[in-house]
Amino acid sequence: MESISKISSMFDTARGLTLEAAKSASSARSYATRSSIKDLPSAQIKKLLDSRNEREILEGLRKVTSMMYRSKPCLPFFSSIAKNVASPNIEIKKLVYIYILRYAEAEPDLALLSINYIQKSLTDQNPQIRALALKVMSGIRVPAISQIVVLAIKRGCGDMNSYVRKAAALAIPKCYRLDPNTLSQLLDYLSILLGDKQSFVAGSAVAAFLDVCPQRMDLIHRHYRSLIRKLVDMDEWGQLATLNLMTYYSRKCFPRRFKKHKKAKNEEFYEENGGNEENGGSEQFFQELDPDLEILLKACKNLLQSRNSAVIVAVARCFLYLATPEYIDLAVGPLVALMRSAQDVRQVAMYNIVAICLVRPASFVKYLTHFLVHATDPIEISRLKFEILTLLFPLCKPHMKELILSELAHFTRSSDERIVRECVRAVGRCAQNDTTASARCLSLLLQQVSSQDGNLAAESLTVIRHLIQQDPEAHIKTVIRLAKNLDATSDPQARASIIWLVGEFSGVDDKDNIAPDVLRILAKGFTDEPEAAKLQIVLLAAKVYLHYLNRTISHHDQNKPLEVPASSSALESSNPFATVYINEGAFDSTDQSQQAVNSTPSASEFDPNHPIPLLYKYILLLTRYDTSYDLRDRARTYTALLSTPQSTQLASLLLLAPKPVPQTPSPSESRTNLLLGSLSLVIGGALVGAGAGDEPLPEWVKDGEEPDPQLRNENLEKEENAAVMGRNLPAIDRLGGAGIVDKGKGKEKVVKSFEDWLAEKNEGEADESDEEYETDSEEEEEEEDEDEQEEEEEEEEDDDDDDEEGGSGESDPLVMS
């Protein structure tokens, strides 16, 4: 029992200590947070920066960095911070480099003082410090150090670490913007980095290429195939840059060829030589892909599984602009899968889906249910979904068409006016794209005419008017039905649309036409009508009266000859409305009467008590005192046109001319010339100063004008790398280049690989003793030969001396004699 009590007391003590430690830690944390938020005085910050303690320097740099990102003045600390660039602490170096990048342009002289220390960091053992130093040196926007930056990039291109080489690739565009005169040197280094064996280094080099010299496609030829092999292993940004580059490269270097395929008609069983031109075989053309282009397209298939939505869109762009329709079908599924992403990604993906759907809608039919609108979708995504549904509508089966129309009918009851407007317009486009379903769409729209929602009724009538104009003779009863709904329609635009339709059909049937009766009903409440409806009522009155004049003149020409009236008073009496606006100076019927004497019917032909002239005169009198200037001017125009029967030809030309059939294209038709995957496609127009990704694609190169395919040979790339890269490449890369052929002076010299070199070295060490023994024996034999030759030479010299002595003995007797 005592042991248990001791253990419990120990636990209580530990629990108390833990709570006290937690309280102290939380109080210290809150104090540190408050102290970090509160700015220290400038003198105290300088004291921290000038300290010899690394912890105090780091604290001061953190204070300055915090102030810098809150847009507070930090330039007075430049001298105190720049001297810490030589600190061996990497955290201090990072903060110092960040500060120098921010304020080097404001203090170029002080920034130049730190260049030497930054340059020394290029030889540091830590590759992270070397890469950071290269990044900072290229980011200092001081033109005086451009050549130093070029040398730093040259050193970085030959660095053993791939992270440093990537930093060198990213530094090339900065150096070019700093001094464009260094382009020739930078292109050499860029060519080296494009052929780097590390995929993420090559991806950064491609991004630098697009920024510095996107038109220099000659630099890409020798790296084309290697870049495609590295495409899958690149990082996402490198993949985007490479896909963008290859899209432009393919258009400029691969001609678009078509192969003719002859398809024979149905032949009889025993017919011979079928499918030839005599039998009427049809010819079809198929795009023939270049082998190198097909390598690119096959490599892009693996990128469709990328987690980055931009990569998927870039692959779809390659397939759309470079490949055959079979490749486009492969990209449809991944694009549709992007609709399950975040809202912003979904919206951008929808714009690209619509752009592809305009070109190839059949590929999206099996994914139709993915485009049904949800109640939580924002208006922009809903609009794009409605547009896709209308594009897919003609290709769907009947039950799917009914599903689309039911979906659109449901959303016409939405509380959002914009969604209602888009739904009604979508129904109209469905009827326009598929004439077999126009009757169903029209009945659906007619149900919305009597709606209490004025916006819905007005938009529905606008679409109905477009559908009726496509086939006027088949929709006479529809116009009568709309005219009956005038009393229940209160929206000004809706009433104006119905009155306009009645006026268009005012001359279809003379006996059973409803236009005069509709005009009579509208004349009763003319003063209470809105201005849009009044304008259409005046137009309806002019059309009805014009048809009355035309019928009267045609009846006069058929039954009796023209009679010349005795005076102009008879002409005026024949037209009871000729003097309506005489006092206002609209026209003078007396001057025109002399020109129409021979073609004007007699006074008995015009009945002044006929309802149509009386209605026309009544409407003109009402408009004469209306407050709308536009309405009064319109009435004067109609009165001038219809003042005399002679003017009916001009009036008929203006008022009764056949109207063109309205076409309602898809809202995204205006974006068909914009590049897929670009920002311009989302914005809806070309951007000023757009980058390489927004520029229009070039036309396909003509057949015969493309570059030589041998330029893309990898052996050529290795030869140039062996000659150009030389000392710039790291040692491991130079030793690892197996099979490189160096041609010079007609001879071929094979540069051995690192493994071959090691194997030969091991073999050489094993044979050293034998070689030494052989060399010693050879030297002994050579010495013996030399000794023998010397002995022979001495013997020959002795023989010569004896001969000389014998010759002298024989001569003595002769002399003596």
Side-chain angles (χ1 to χ4, degrees), residues 410-657:
H410 170 73
F411 280 97
T412 54
R413 296 187 292 271
S414 176
S415 58
D416 194 339
E417 298 179 1
R418 297 172 295 177
I419 292 181
V420 172
R421 188 184 305 113
E422 293 297 333
C423 281
V424 174
R425 291 177 180 175
V427 173
R429 290 196 299 271
C430 289
Q432 177 181 316
N433 296 335
D434 188 5
T435 55
T436 59
S438 59
R440 174 74 176 89
C441 296
L442 186 61
S443 63
L444 180 62
L445 292 172
L446 288 174
Q447 296 175 5
Q448 314 298 333
V449 174
S450 58
S451 174
Q452 299 297 326
D453 188 356
N455 295 319
L456 175 59
E459 199 65 39
S460 301
L461 281 169
T462 302
V463 177
I464 290 171
R465 178 167 58 86
H466 293 170
L467 296 178
I468 291 176
Q469 285 184 261
Q470 294 178 3
D471 190 7
E473 298 295 335
H475 294 92
I476 297 177
K477 294 182 179 179
T478 304
V479 177
I480 297 174
R481 178 179 174 180
L482 291 175
K484 292 179 180 179
N485 289 329
L486 266 176
D487 294 336
T489 306
S490 58
D491 186 78
Q493 295 298 330
R495 294 182 65 83
S497 297
I498 295 176
I499 296 170
W500 185 88
L501 283 173
V502 172
E504 285 296 303
F505 285 83
S506 59
V508 174
D509 190 359
D510 296 339
K511 296 181 180 179
D512 298 331
N513 198 288
I514 63 170
D517 197 34
V518 172
L519 180 62
R520 176 184 62 81
I521 296 173
L522 293 172
K524 296 179 180 179
F526 181 82
T527 55
D528 299 329
E529 294 284 350
E531 183 177 355
K534 287 182 180 179
L535 291 172
Q536 296 302 325
I537 291 172
V538 175
L539 178 60
L540 175 62
K543 289 180 179 179
V544 170
Y545 180 63
L546 178 58
H547 284 298
Y548 167 74
L549 292 180
N550 290 335
R551 288 195 301 269
T552 304
I553 293 174
S554 62
H555 180 71
H556 175 269
D557 292 340
Q558 293 175 2
N559 297 333
K560 50 193 305 187
L562 295 175
E563 296 180 358
V564 180
S567 62
S568 61
S569 60
L571 179 64
E572 293 178 4
S573 62
S574 65
N575 188 356
F577 313 112
T579 59
V580 173
Y581 286 108
I582 287 179
N583 295 332
E584 297 186 9
F587 59 87
D588 190 358
S589 61
T590 305
D591 296 336
Q592 297 179 358
S593 62
Q594 299 299 328
Q595 301 175 4
V597 165
N598 297 327
S599 61
T600 306
S602 61
S604 60
E605 294 292 333
F606 294 96
D607 185 6
N609 297 322
H610 195 278
I612 293 179
L614 292 176
L615 280 174
Y616 179 63
K617 181 179 179 181
Y618 179 69
I619 295 295
L620 292 180
L621 289 174
L622 291 176
T623 56
R624 183 175 183 179
Y625 300 102
D626 197 88
T627 57
S628 174
Y629 293 96
D630 191 13
L631 187 62
R632 295 200 301 268
D633 293 340
R634 192 75 59 89
R636 292 190 185 95
T637 303
Y638 297 152
T639 304
L641 287 174
L642 302 173
S643 59
T644 59
Q646 186 183 4
S647 301
T648 56
Q649 295 181 355
L650 179 59
S652 300
L653 182 63
L654 294 177
L655 300 179
L656 305 180

Side-chain angles (χ1 to χ4, degrees), residues 23-298:
K23 290 180 181 179
S24 62
S26 61
S27 62
R29 191 181 301 112
S30 61
Y31 173 77
T33 305
R34 290 194 300 269
S35 62
S36 62
I37 295 175
K38 184 179 179 181
D39 293 335
L40 296 177
S42 299
Q44 189 173 354
I45 293 177
K46 281 188 176 182
K47 184 178 179 180
L48 291 174
L49 295 173
D50 295 335
S51 176
R52 294 183 179 181
N53 189 352
E54 290 185 354
R55 183 178 297 179
E56 293 180 357
I57 296 174
L58 190 59
E59 181 66 22
L61 288 172
R62 288 172 178 170
K63 295 289 184 183
V64 174
T65 306
S66 176
M67 294 170 60
M68 183 174 61
Y69 282 98
R70 282 182 287 154
S71 301
K72 293 192 175 182
C74 300
L75 193 58
F77 308 115
F78 196 96
S79 59
S80 300
I81 293 176
K83 66 182 182 181
N84 291 313
V85 72
S87 176
N89 192 332
I90 188 172
E91 295 184 3
I92 294 177
K93 276 183 177 293
K94 288 180 180 179
L95 294 177
V96 171
Y97 287 161
I98 291 172
Y99 181 86
I100 291 176
L101 285 175
R102 176 68 174 80
Y103 291 103
E105 195 172 3
E107 290 288 344
D109 297 334
L110 294 176
L112 291 175
L113 297 177
S114 59
I115 291 296
N116 292 332
Y117 294 100
I118 299 175
Q119 208 168 0
K120 289 179 181 179
S121 299
L122 294 174
T123 59
D124 195 275
Q125 294 181 355
N126 190 346
Q128 189 176 5
I129 294 178
R130 296 199 302 269
L132 188 60
L134 183 56
K135 177 182 177 182
V136 173
M137 188 174 293
S138 61
I140 296 176
R141 294 184 293 271
V142 180
I145 64 170
S146 60
Q147 292 301 323
I148 301 177
V149 176
V150 171
L151 294 175
I153 292 174
K154 181 180 179 181
R155 182 186 292 272
C157 292
D159 198 278
M160 296 285 292
N161 191 277
S162 57
Y163 184 72
V164 181
R165 298 199 299 273
K166 179 180 179 181
L170 296 176
I172 289 177
K174 300 177 184 178
C175 183
Y176 174 71
R177 286 192 291 267
L178 187 65
D179 187 6
N181 296 326
T182 60
L183 179 61
S184 59
Q185 296 174 318
L186 296 177
L187 290 181
D188 295 337
Y189 308 145
L190 188 59
S191 178
I192 294 171
L193 294 171
L194 285 171
D196 198 279
K197 294 183 179 180
Q198 294 294 333
S199 57
F200 59 90
V201 177
S204 301
V206 170
F209 174 85
L210 292 175
D211 199 357
V212 174
C213 52
Q215 304 300 329
R216 290 291 304 273
M217 293 298 172
D218 56 308
L219 299 176
I220 305 299
H221 295 319
R222 54 182 176 271
H223 306 296
Y224 175 79
R225 294 173 184 172
S226 64
L227 287 175
I228 291 177
R229 284 198 304 270
K230 301 168 192 170
L231 183 61
V232 179
D233 298 327
M234 289 181 182
D235 59 292
E236 297 168 350
W237 299 109
Q239 290 173 351
L240 286 174
T242 305
L243 289 173
N244 187 17
L245 171 63
M246 292 306 170
T247 305
Y248 286 86
Y249 179 86
S250 301
R251 282 294 191 99
K252 291 184 177 181
C253 299
F254 300 132
R256 194 178 190 185
R257 298 187 180 96
F258 290 93
K259 182 171 62 176
K260 183 167 61 176
H261 176 70
K262 190 173 294 183
K263 184 179 180 181
K265 292 184 177 180
N266 295 331
E267 307 163 15
E268 295 182 0
F269 184 79
Y270 293 103
E271 186 177 358
E272 296 181 356
N273 299 326
N276 55 12
E277 295 180 358
E278 295 179 358
N279 293 331
S282 60
E283 295 181 352
Q284 295 180 353
F285 292 89
F286 299 93
Q287 184 179 356
E288 185 179 6
L289 297 176
D290 189 274
D292 284 333
L293 177 58
E294 197 164 2
I295 292 174
L296 170 64
L297 298 176
K298 289 181 179 179

